Amino acid sequence: MSGAVRRPRTSAGLLPYRVAPDGQVEVLIAHMGGPFWARKDERAWSIVKGEYDPTVEDPLDAARREFCEETGFAVPAGAPRPLGEVRQSGGKTVVAWAVEADLDPGALTPGTFTMEWPPRSGRQQEFPEIDRVAWVDPDGARAKLVSGQVPLVDRLLDVLRDG
């Protein structure tokens, strides 16, 4: 056994939102890419986020970097609104900011990752980090997001209500 201390995994992300003239809020969420998520919908979506080392990188800078890397979109120009941290079931901490934006889901250019697929085949295949993004209302987001990220939607609605 090595004496290395495992640092808890930490991710930072952005939750783009838009408000229609009738006051309806929508958030942009991302369907996770790769073969494990291909046939899943409920609880298979996430805010756009990625891991970072909090001893080296500012979390908001990491959130912006990851947003660009994972979507190919420029960082939305809106002022970031802190949504705080949540802990996912696997123990990862996610810190997030909401940012007003109106992005075209059809313009997604996702980053990719490589993994052995099928398992134990010895073949490496490349998959998109996220395979699609969509604007959804808060109820849709609550049903689709991994459960640990659902509080971020409610926090966004609180921030918008409180001005």
Side-chain angles (χ1 to χ4, degrees):
M1 237 161 80
S2 77
V5 175
R6 287 199 55 162
R7 187 170 290 142
R9 292 177 27 212
T10 307
S11 285
L14 297 179
L15 180 61
Y17 70 92
R18 63 186 183 186
V19 181
D22 66 359
Q24 177 65 40
V25 174
E26 291 183 314
V27 294
L28 186 78
I29 59 174
H31 186 267
M32 292 182 268
F36 298 120
W37 303 102
R39 291 187 168 87
K40 296 179 177 142
D41 189 56
E42 189 172 297
R43 304 287 177 233
W45 295 71
S46 175
I47 68 166
V48 178
K49 61 170 183 47
E51 288 189 19
Y52 75 104
D53 182 344
T55 66
V56 177
E57 189 174 16
D58 174 78
L60 182 54
D61 290 343
R64 289 174 168 148
R65 174 183 50 76
E66 287 291 334
F67 188 82
C68 293
E69 287 177 7
E70 293 206 4
T71 65
F73 294 135
V75 174
R81 302 174 88 159
L83 299 176
E85 292 182 356
V86 294
R87 184 171 301 277
Q88 297 187 163
S89 61
K92 179 186 285 187
T93 298
V94 178
V95 60
W97 288 263
V99 60
E100 192 165 9
D102 193 12
L103 304 166
D104 175 8
L108 174 70
T109 308
T112 60
F113 68 96
T114 302
M115 67 180 282
E116 182 182 19
W117 191 258
R120 297 176 295 286
S121 68
R123 290 186 20 216
Q124 295 290 312
Q125 290 193 48
E126 193 170 288
F127 297 97
E129 295 265 357
I130 56 179
D131 56 24
R132 62 190 177 276
V133 295
W135 287 105
V136 296
D137 64 31
D139 287 339
R142 287 184 193 99
K144 291 178 180 292
L145 284 171
V146 294
S147 58
Q149 295 177 19
V150 169
L152 298 172
V153 174
D154 295 323
R155 291 177 191 172
L156 168 62
L157 296 175
D158 289 344
V159 165
L160 295 176
R161 183 175 38 254
D162 296 342

